Amino acid sequence: MSSHLAFNRIIQQDFGQLTSGEFASLYTLTNANGMQVKITNYGAIIVSIFTPDKTQRLTDIVLGYDNVADYEADNYYLGAVIGRYAGRIHQGKISINGQQHQLTLNAPDSQLHGGKQGLNKQLWRAKTSENADTACLTLSYTSPDGEQGFPGTVNFTVNYHLNDNNELIVEYLAKTDQPTLVNLTQHSYFNLAGHNSGNVHSHQVAINADYFLPMNERAYPTGEIAQVDHTPHDFRQLKALAQDIDADNKQIAIGKGYDNYWLLNDNAISVQAFAAQVVEPNSGRRMTIYTDQPSMVLYTANYIDGSHIGKNNYCYQRRAALCLEPQRANNKEKGVTLDNTLLTPTQPFASTTRYVFDLIES
């Protein structure tokens, strides 16, 4: 399809009813090459991404569900925007300017990914726009003071842009009326061979990072900043996940695969600079991530257990996908501290991540 032909860059349709009685919508963004991204305003969730393989066959490359009811029941955070705080907060206890706050707990000893009713479980307001080469979906949600225990009323906006260069650009904005914590990320589960293609062991991954954060037995960063050199966590060159994903290594054992933070190198922290890349050799698909965030989680879906039926009645199994989650929770200057994620009324949060989809040269 050439760009001068008229076509609908954005189509809205019903995506089902929530237990609240509200209805969610599904928005399909299409570019001139036929690439499609489907997003629901429930949880600002990416439901599908259809990209071509080396034979130009379009395939859906993210895990997900066929209706909003399944997303409401989902506990894997498939495709969701995660917040207010992506990651674990020990005992749900935070201190801001000397004042203590108790967050709601949704894990045995922590608040995980913003709590039981985090941003991924909210219905966002939606607005669409398009121009000559881009479709844009703008999703907004106002999180009230005290939601899940967090102080401050925060206005969140996520812009999804799909352009004719096969780029999906995600912009995050947050404004607060009092000091609070915000750490946002996108939690899509990618399988570049197709969402129903088994495990991702053959995927090759590169991360532009010399350092990563070891975790303790309870999956909290220890505070140590470790070099990736001579460890299974060295992804400075493209490497098949299968090479080290079951290595005899304490960090691999704790995560049951990969599940750590990498601290991006200075030359990676820019929407113009390479942060991470994934290649699936059989299909020829390649995804390159550019971000202005200082850290990245690589998670290899180690806890998916076959109990969830996804799109097209496919049963997702362990390591059926990988997540690459840019975020600002940790950096090389301050290491691991909640102070990295402080949001104040005078300093709104703004961040951009680009996902570029293309093919390797055969």
Side-chain angles (χ1 to χ4, degrees):
M1 181 184 297
S2 61
S3 59
H4 68 272
L5 293 178
F7 66 99
N8 291 325
R9 286 190 177 270
I10 306 177
I11 296 174
Q12 177 185 355
Q13 63 194 94
D14 178 57
F15 198 48
Q17 189 173 16
L18 298 164
T19 54
S20 65
E22 298 172 291
F23 286 87
S25 292
L26 184 68
Y27 297 84
T28 301
L29 282 58
T30 304
N31 72 8
N33 309 311
M35 179 180 166
Q36 286 191 338
V37 179
K38 295 177 183 284
I39 302 161
T40 176
N41 61 331
Y42 179 72
I45 289 167
I46 294 176
V47 173
S48 300
I49 299 178
F50 286 86
T51 65
D53 66 7
K54 59 189 177 185
T55 69
Q56 296 306 304
R57 185 173 66 97
L58 288 170
T59 301
D60 184 1
I61 59 168
V62 294
L63 276 57
Y65 304 103
D66 288 324
N67 58 72
V68 77
D70 287 341
Y71 281 106
E72 197 170 12
D74 172 66
N75 58 359
Y76 293 135
Y77 304 90
L78 296 190
V81 166
I82 305 297
R84 290 187 186 190
Y85 190 95
R88 298 178 186 275
I89 296 179
H90 182 56
Q91 300 296 340
K93 297 183 183 299
I94 62 174
S95 176
I96 300 174
N97 296 335
Q99 185 174 354
Q100 306 297 314
H101 300 272
Q102 178 62 57
L103 309 180
T104 62
L105 301 183
N106 62 327
D109 63 352
S110 66
Q111 186 189 91
L112 173 65
H113 290 339
K116 191 173 183 179
Q117 295 294 320
L119 297 183
N120 63 305
K121 298 296 184 184
Q122 306 297 339
L123 192 64
W124 295 54
R125 301 180 301 277
K127 184 173 68 174
T128 63
S129 62
E130 57 182 270
N131 59 32
D133 64 356
T134 304
C136 178
L137 175 65
T138 296
L139 298 171
S140 304
Y141 174 69
T142 299
S143 177
D145 181 26
E147 187 165 62
Q148 300 300 296
F150 287 98
T153 298
V154 181
N155 294 311
F156 291 98
T157 300
V158 176
N159 295 312
Y160 286 109
H161 304 269
L162 175 64
N163 65 31
D164 289 345
N165 295 322
N166 285 7
E167 293 180 321
L168 178 63
I169 300 171
V170 187
E171 296 175 324
Y172 307 88
L173 305 167
K175 297 180 180 179
T176 184
D177 63 355
Q178 60 178 291
T180 189
L181 301 184
V182 165
N183 182 43
L184 304 176
T185 196
Q186 222 296 328
H187 208 284
S188 282
Y189 285 68
F190 294 96
N191 185 322
L192 299 190
H195 78 97
N196 54 354
S197 297
N199 70 50
V200 291
H201 286 191
S202 67
H203 283 50
Q204 300 168 0
V205 174
I207 304 174
N208 191 350
D210 295 335
Y211 297 91
F212 77 106
L213 301 181
M215 312 286 269
N216 64 24
E217 298 285 353
R218 286 157 57 229
Y220 293 104
T222 63
E224 176 190 4
I225 296 177
Q227 292 189 358
V228 300
D229 198 28
H230 296 106
T231 76
H233 295 72
D234 188 351
F235 286 98
R236 291 174 294 181
Q237 304 291 329
L238 275 173
K239 177 177 72 173
L241 289 172
Q243 180 173 323
D244 292 321
I245 198 169
D246 288 313
D248 182 10
N249 173 273
K250 182 178 180 181
Q251 290 299 301
I252 294 290
I254 289 172
K256 305 183 187 306
Y258 288 108
D259 190 9
N260 291 82
Y261 293 92
W262 275 254
L263 303 183
L264 295 177
N265 293 331
D266 291 342
N267 65 358
I269 306 173
S270 162
V271 291
Q272 304 302 323
F274 154 76
Q277 189 172 81
V278 184
V279 170
E280 202 288 300
N282 293 324
S283 67
R285 290 187 181 91
R286 175 170 57 191
M287 177 180 72
T288 308
I289 299 177
Y290 305 81
T291 185
D292 55 19
Q293 295 297 272
S295 60
M296 175 99 61
V297 171
L298 167 63
Y299 169 58
T300 47
N302 312 309
Y303 297 100
I304 288 184
D305 59 7
S307 63
H308 286 51
I309 303 298
K311 289 176 288 192
N312 312 122
N313 288 318
Y314 187 76
C315 183
Y316 296 132
Q317 303 289 335
R318 182 170 180 244
R319 297 179 180 168
L322 62 89
C323 303
L324 285 163
E325 309 160 38
Q327 51 192 276
R328 66 173 185 151
N330 310 287
N331 60 45
K332 286 186 293 185
E333 286 69 40
K334 296 182 180 178
V336 182
T337 167
L338 293 177
D339 292 344
N340 291 328
T341 63
L342 184 66
L343 182 71
T344 68
T346 57
Q347 286 190 306
F349 174 71
S351 171
T352 301
T353 296
R354 292 195 302 138
Y355 302 82
V356 180
F357 299 91
D358 63 2
L359 299 168
I360 58 175
E361 295 182 8
S362 55

